[in-house]
Amino acid sequence: MNEPLKKTDHRDYRVVGLPGDGIGPEVYACARRVLNVLEQTHGLCIQLDEQKIGGDAIDATGDPLPQATIDACRASDAALLGAVGGPKWDNNPADRRPELGLLRIRAEFNLFCNLRPIVTHPSLHSFSPLRPELLEEVDLMIVRELTGGSYFGKKWRNEDEAEDVCRYTREEIERVTRAAGRIAGLRDNRITLVDKANVLETSRLWRSVASRVIEEEFPGVRMENMYVDAAAMHLLTRPSDFDVMLTENLFGDILSDEASMLCGSLGLLPSASLNHEQFGLYEPVHGSAPDIAGQGKANPYAMLLSVAMMLRHSLGREAEAQALEQSIHECWSAGILTRDLRADGCSTNEVTDAVCERLTGLAAV
Ligand code: IPM
Ligand code: MG
């Protein structure tokens, strides 16, 4: 997220495919189909290099993030991940857990800027537990710091005590604040910095560093401060008031699951994790849902929206990103939804068929 991506005529890309565990391979297969359609309709050439991560990688190599996967990512423009984790590996020791593959890829590639867009759509209002009138015009971008804080601080545990150190440096706060400032500049120029500055020293550092960066470098952007407990409440009482929400790693993890309910289902939420070099890891926010794996029930929309984010942020293909998003929104308007949202809903593949059909139709106009 250093500079906004320049438009290029470049059409050849390399993307690492990381199907992973549970429903990961099913939703990843949907992404592959959509990329094939884009090759035919828009002349993109996306070479997919499939690699292992998470439980799948532990079973094959003993390591949740094998060196081959790291090497493939280094040689690519982006990585597209399905999901990691499942009960099979729940009792594994800490260094052999599937989630570690995800945490290590974030650290290895310095993916400090996690974007989670929360946009409601009128045809989905009835699926949210919130009243429809609260959901109108919700368009919020969560910018979550992804490589610092208690996730990556020193950790230890004995029989009686445990500790997870939450540490942030000025540079870590500055770079993600700059990313949020640039994103706000493309939107409504408003940032809400969410923290717990009445209690935590790290939050007090966030406030002073972030406000200086915004004041000095983004004079058009307004930043307000909000405590995380209040933010959790305001997300439910007045969600449409937010534009960009900037926050640290753990708060962002919690608030983004909460905010997903505004859209109706966790199965609809994409994410991008970016570094300075425009390399990004794109993945649905939902997990591996082992209870429904292999049954054709998985909701592929979060994955397909993640493909759109990849086209936009790492491949510089804004037109294709918009065409894909438009195809998805048309499917929502037509009520084409999986069974997490409607008892008589479609299968994973039927939803993907419908998206591909619309994408082809758009290209023909
Ligand atoms: C997420 C997930 C991960 C996180 C887990 C799987 C480690 O919940 O991406 O939000 O906590 O960051
Ligand atoms: Mg999470």
Side-chain angles (χ1 to χ4, degrees):
M1 249 347 278
N2 203 8
E3 291 304 319
L5 211 51
K6 287 176 208 72
K7 222 176 148 44
T8 66
D9 289 330
H10 180 69
R11 282 176 178 272
D12 294 325
Y13 305 98
R14 281 179 72 100
V15 170
V16 176
L18 301 169
D21 310 320
I23 59 169
E26 289 163 66
V27 294
Y28 170 75
C30 302
R32 212 173 42 203
R33 286 185 54 201
V34 162
L35 291 174
N36 277 334
V37 170
L38 284 172
E39 283 199 15
Q40 285 151 28
T41 56
H42 289 74
L44 293 192
C45 181
I46 297 178
Q47 199 184 323
L48 278 170
D49 178 1
E50 277 162 32
Q51 298 289 338
K52 293 189 180 298
I53 193 166
D56 181 36
I58 294 173
D59 288 351
T61 68
D63 181 352
L65 185 67
Q67 189 60 39
T69 302
I70 297 176
D71 293 344
C73 288
R74 282 218 194 287
S76 299
D77 302 295
L80 200 52
L81 171 80
V84 294
K88 182 173 175 193
W89 306 280
D90 271 353
N91 296 322
N92 279 20
D95 63 340
R96 278 177 168 237
R97 290 189 60 92
E99 294 78 11
L100 194 61
L102 193 55
L103 296 175
R104 276 179 40 208
I105 202 171
R106 289 174 181 171
E108 180 77 33
F109 290 92
N110 233 334
L111 305 174
F112 63 88
C113 177
N114 182 227
L115 305 181
R116 297 187 169 184
I118 310 284
V119 186
T120 59
H121 188 271
S123 1
L124 302 174
H125 284 358
S126 61
F127 301 111
S128 168
L130 262 68
R131 289 196 307 281
E133 65 267 28
L134 288 171
L135 301 171
E136 272 153 35
E137 309 202 352
V138 170
D139 180 355
L140 143 76
M141 179 66 89
I142 298 182
V143 180
R144 167 187 175 195
E145 199 291 327
L146 201 62
T147 49
S150 53
Y151 273 63
F152 292 94
K154 196 175 124 221
K155 292 169 184 290
W156 61 269
R157 179 167 63 123
N158 65 27
E159 295 253 303
D160 307 310
E161 282 176 90
E163 190 176 34
D164 296 281
V165 173
C166 181
R167 176 171 179 273
Y168 269 106
T169 65
R170 179 168 53 77
E171 284 85 358
E172 284 172 326
I173 301 168
E174 280 170 352
R175 64 185 182 178
V176 73
T177 303
R178 285 194 185 103
R182 273 192 293 273
I183 289 161
L186 299 170
R187 298 169 50 100
D188 198 30
N189 284 307
R190 293 183 293 122
I191 298 179
T192 306
L193 174 66
V194 174
D195 61 32
K196 189 71 188 171
N198 48 348
V199 177
L200 301 177
E201 282 303 338
T202 42
S203 289
R204 294 195 261 269
L205 183 67
W206 267 83
R207 275 201 188 190
S208 87
V209 173
S211 60
R212 186 183 42 72
V213 169
I214 296 299
E215 264 167 45
E216 287 175 3
E217 301 176 30
F218 301 90
V221 173
R222 247 182 332 118
M223 193 168 80
E224 63 164 353
N225 302 118
M226 195 178 280
Y227 296 139
V228 62
D229 46 353
M233 178 184 70
H234 290 308
L235 267 178
L236 304 183
T237 55
R238 49 181 188 92
S240 59
D241 285 355
F242 293 101
D243 180 23
V244 172
M245 186 182 268
L246 168 63
T247 192
E248 63 107 82
N249 206 344
L250 181 60
F251 296 160
D253 178 48
I254 298 166
L255 293 176
S256 58
D257 267 28
E258 183 191 359
S260 75
M261 282 299 109
L262 302 168
C263 306
S265 166
L266 197 53
L268 300 170
L269 243 80
S271 78
S273 306
L274 308 172
N275 66 14
H276 276 302
E277 279 95 46
Q278 290 165 0
F279 174 84
L281 173 72
Y282 297 84
E283 55 172 323
V285 172
H286 63 68
S288 61
D291 51 319
I292 58 159
Q295 300 169 33
K297 289 184 186 167
N299 187 335
Y301 281 123
M303 182 54 145
L304 301 183
L305 288 167
S306 302
V307 171
M309 292 189 87
M310 174 178 87
L311 290 164
R312 172 171 296 127
H313 295 287
S314 284
L315 310 189
R317 310 300 312 188
E318 180 62 31
E320 288 81 357
Q322 283 184 18
L324 177 53
E325 285 167 348
Q326 188 183 331
S327 307
I328 291 170
H329 296 160
E330 285 176 13
C331 288
W332 290 350
S333 300
I336 299 167
L337 300 168
T338 41
R339 275 167 240 155
D340 47 329
L341 293 172
R342 302 171 57 140
D344 61 342
C346 309
S347 69
T348 310
N349 279 332
E350 285 163 349
V351 166
T352 311
D353 291 342
V355 173
C356 290
E357 205 175 285
R358 279 163 181 80
L359 197 52
T360 310
L362 280 180
V365 200

